Amino acid sequence: MTIMHPRRFPHVTSVTSRTRGLIGAALAFALGAAPLGAQSRRPAPEFAVAEATIPQMQAALREGRTTSRELVTRYLVRIATYEDRLNGVAWINARALQEADERDRERAAGRIRGPLHGIPVAVKDNIQTRDMPTTGGALAFAGFVPPYDATLVQNLRDAGAIILAKTTLTELANWVAPGMPANYSALFGYSYNPYDPRRDPRTQLDDGRPVLSTGGSSSGVGTAVSFWAANVGTETSGSILSPANQNMLVGIKPTVGRVSRRGVIPITGDQDTPGPMARTVADAAIMLGALEGARPDTADAATRTCARPPRGDYTAFLDSASLRGARIGVPRAFFFDRFTIPGDSVPRGGLTGERATLMQEAISILRARGAVIVDPADIPSVVAPDAQNSFLRWPVCAGVGDRDCSIAFQYGMKRDFNAWLRTLGQAAPVASLKQLREWNLAHRNGGALRYGQGLLDASDTVDVAVERARYEADRAKDVRLSATEGIDAVMERYRLDAILFPASSGAGIAARAGYPSIGVPFGFAPNGPASGFPEGFGALPTPFGVMFTGRACSEPRLIGIAYAFEQATRKRVPPPLFP
């Protein structure tokens, strides 16, 4: 299939041929163009990049056991070997080897930029990069190279990182259509989970989607199989924590404003935040410090919300004794145990079987490591007896004219997406959300609307002037139910350091509050009832982790708690099908 693109590019080839071409070209260059003087070096034992941590890579670079060029080359080999089975790579940086050589020369001259010097990482394809396209997975943006880098991209480069690639994603961060599968986009198709990289065989779901969800809208696939050291995702509600959980990764969803959003395709500035995904808490902490940068971003006022730690170093909080005396709440109602929401007659939520067993084990470990477990520590807005004060009765509006729900996402998309397009000037492939919708309709036969665009349609009906009063009231209710009468209330009542959630189940309430959370791998659970699959299919289990949530700007404390839990458990298992 050839995709015609407005204004800027005559064609962009299909995902499969695009990826193979990029990998082939980069790999050929990697293997065939050795840097000056490389032939005279004595061979050294090969440094294995699979599961290597950032501190391990830095030690190997410092001691001369590898080079940044060699790291890039070995990651490219892994991409070339496994990418066709996973579809986790959107774009590869054609200058990655050149940048690696530059970092190697700087290291040889004694100049170290920062904690990511010479380390290959990836960023989500809704984060602007001037050396690779930025598309959000939308056909209308195919091949679009923006006129400026996102602030976080510059921060990564200032810290010495090599941005090796862009990751796939759910189209426009999952604000296109209800029912769009995680990590599907019109431009890139479906991504597959490395813990079971097969298509779903069930008749009602056999449209090509993965049998084991990748989570979304960010992708953790490439980091899970060591295509790079770590990656940057973005979250509006669950889009870092969900894929981190599904790919057995550590995900840090920061306080909104901790990391600049300038140059990130938005949904709503009220909740959007970039954040790191990595294989260890230490790697995620290093990434967070680099992403935050040395100073607030004048283009994003929210970056003044939280004080930066000394020297921007979150590794200072990596203390295996951090659980001693930590007060951790267990929100039983709905998240652990079934709960009847006001107006319902049948209870919802809760855990059963292996998931309940895993969480009880996690609580026992926390207690054994010195944490004070407050159980139950139910969230007031979750257990509120009346619908008006119930967080669970206050969903996000999805359709045109929806009532009794928050219009904040629809309003934010209309306001912030159009504002973002204006920053692109004449380079913008479309001039407005309305033009994007029209372009999609005109290219329906080319695959632009496989799942429709109901969320975009509903957002575009919003009149930001006329509906401002409703938006402000809805946003105030979001904050009241998620923060004031939610997370803040339970944490103040029980003097908590963190709230413990199963998997990424608390992502929604933390996201609306704008508060930080960290997900940590912990085990596996069944992927749905076995009776749902064809006989003999043998669905493999899904990763299952835990999530720690705190109040605004509490990342240092959460990192300490998450690190101590990780060191006490060490439950991450690399995907066995991708050694």
Side-chain angles (χ1 to χ4, degrees):
M1 178 180 69
T2 297
I3 303 163
M4 301 307 295
H5 183 264
R7 293 195 208 172
R8 297 193 55 80
F9 294 90
H11 70 277
V12 175
T13 57
S14 68
V15 171
T16 301
S17 59
R18 168 191 53 77
T19 303
R20 285 176 176 161
L22 284 169
I23 293 169
L27 188 56
F29 185 67
L31 298 177
L36 185 65
Q39 296 87 347
S40 63
R41 276 197 331 231
R42 282 199 287 177
E46 182 175 306
F47 179 83
V49 295
E51 292 294 300
T53 67
I54 293 172
Q56 287 170 345
M57 283 185 268
Q58 288 291 13
L61 289 165
R62 189 167 54 250
E63 296 163 8
R65 292 184 284 115
T66 192
T67 64
S68 293
R69 165 174 275 267
E70 289 167 352
L71 293 178
V72 168
T73 301
R74 292 193 172 111
Y75 280 131
L76 288 172
V77 169
R78 290 188 63 80
I79 293 170
T81 303
Y82 296 130
E83 167 61 5
D84 277 355
R85 296 169 61 190
L86 296 170
N87 194 32
V89 181
W91 314 101
I92 291 175
N93 183 0
R95 296 187 67 256
L97 287 159
Q98 180 181 336
E99 291 178 20
D101 289 341
E102 291 170 357
R103 299 297 86 74
D104 285 336
R105 286 193 293 270
E106 289 170 354
R107 183 178 295 275
R111 182 194 170 197
I112 304 298
R113 296 189 181 196
L116 293 176
H117 191 98
I119 303 297
V121 301
V123 300
K124 187 175 178 179
D125 193 34
N126 63 345
I127 298 170
Q128 290 179 207
T129 49
R130 286 186 297 171
D131 49 10
M132 287 175 279
T134 300
T135 70
L139 286 183
F141 287 84
F144 170 65
V145 179
Y148 63 93
D149 279 334
T151 298
L152 73 86
V153 167
Q154 187 58 55
N155 289 345
L156 288 172
R157 289 180 170 140
D158 289 346
I162 299 164
I163 300 177
L164 175 60
K166 306 285 286 286
T167 72
T168 54
L169 72 166
T170 317
E171 188 170 340
L172 294 181
N174 201 24
W175 196 253
V176 174
M180 179 177 282
N183 264 210
Y184 169 84
S185 70
L187 185 56
F188 303 122
Y190 302 97
S191 295
Y192 293 87
N193 192 310
Y195 290 92
D196 192 345
R198 295 177 289 175
R199 291 168 57 128
D200 198 315
R202 291 170 287 187
T203 303
Q204 69 275 26
L205 298 170
D206 62 352
D207 56 2
R209 70 183 64 195
V211 67
L212 179 58
S213 174
T214 59
S217 65
S218 303
S219 175
V221 170
T223 299
V225 296
S226 298
F227 281 174
W228 37 72
N231 71 286
V232 182
T234 67
E235 175 162 327
T236 310
S237 184
S239 291
I240 291 170
L241 296 166
S242 161
N245 181 74
Q246 289 298 119
N247 290 276
M248 224 168 203
L249 298 176
V250 174
I252 300 181
K253 182 268 178 188
T255 304
V256 171
R258 174 73 76 177
V259 178
S260 172
R261 286 84 53 81
R262 177 180 178 270
V264 177
I265 301 176
I267 295 178
T268 173
D270 298 321
Q271 293 184 206
D272 292 345
T273 178
M277 301 167 67
R279 292 181 292 272
T280 68
V281 175
D283 284 358
I286 292 168
M287 287 286 289
L288 179 61
L291 289 170
E292 187 172 14
R295 60 192 60 85
D297 183 359
T298 57
D300 185 352
T303 54
R304 297 186 178 277
T305 300
C306 298
R308 183 171 177 258
R311 300 175 302 283
D313 182 11
Y314 288 93
T315 65
F317 307 103
L318 300 175
D319 183 352
S320 59
S322 292
L323 286 172
R324 293 178 191 164
R327 296 180 61 84
I328 298 176
V330 178
R332 286 281 168 188
F334 185 75
F335 298 102
F336 287 75
D337 301 335
R338 291 178 68 76
F339 177 75
T340 302
I341 299 171
D344 284 2
S345 57
V346 177
R348 303 186 199 178
L351 302 174
T352 59
E354 286 88 340
R355 288 169 173 80
T357 300
L358 281 167
M359 290 310 299
Q360 192 54 51
E361 180 186 350
I363 291 168
S364 296
I365 292 169
L366 290 167
R367 184 178 284 117
R369 290 289 170 148
V372 177
I373 303 299
V374 181
D375 185 3
D378 289 329
I379 298 172
S381 62
V382 170
V383 297
D386 58 296
Q388 183 62 28
N389 295 309
S390 170
F391 177 81
L392 301 177
R393 278 291 181 200
W394 185 240
V396 172
C397 296
V400 176
D402 283 357
R403 311 302 297 182
D404 298 320
C405 54
S406 174
I407 201 176
F409 276 37
Q410 293 178 354
Y411 189 97
M413 183 66 173
K414 180 68 172 285
R415 175 194 64 197
D416 297 338
F417 188 79
N418 285 341
W420 168 71
L421 286 171
R422 288 194 292 272
T423 72
L424 304 177
Q426 293 300 308
V430 295
S432 65
L433 179 57
K434 181 176 184 290
Q435 280 195 12
L436 173 61
R437 292 173 51 244
E438 292 170 345
W439 193 97
N440 286 341
L441 288 169
H443 294 80
R444 179 191 297 272
N445 292 339
L449 293 176
R450 183 169 189 177
Y451 295 97
Q453 56 178 353
L455 297 175
L456 297 182
D457 290 341
S459 298
D460 202 31
T461 65
V462 172
D463 186 314
V464 295
V466 171
E467 298 189 66
R468 182 173 179 178
R470 180 188 171 185
Y471 155 72
E472 290 176 346
D474 285 1
R475 182 60 191 150
K477 187 171 180 179
D478 285 346
V479 173
R480 176 172 67 85
L481 296 182
S482 63
T484 311
E485 298 172 11
I487 293 170
D488 289 344
V490 70
M491 294 194 74
E492 287 173 5
R493 178 178 180 182
Y494 296 111
R495 296 178 289 112
L496 301 178
D497 294 290
I499 303 171
L500 174 71
F501 291 100
S504 58
S505 61
I509 192 166
R512 286 213 227 175
Y515 287 176
S517 298
I518 303 182
V520 182
F522 190 59
F524 290 90
N527 179 19
S531 59
F533 294 101
E535 184 177 355
F537 178 77
L540 298 177
T542 179
F544 186 87
V546 304
M547 171 181 157
F548 299 100
T549 293
R551 300 177 74 176
C553 307
S554 65
E555 287 90 341
R557 185 68 171 124
L558 292 179
I559 286 170
I561 288 170
Y563 178 76
F565 180 79
E566 174 196 54
Q567 295 304 298
T569 56
R570 298 182 180 271
K571 290 293 186 76
R572 173 174 161 76
V573 177
L577 299 175
F578 300 89

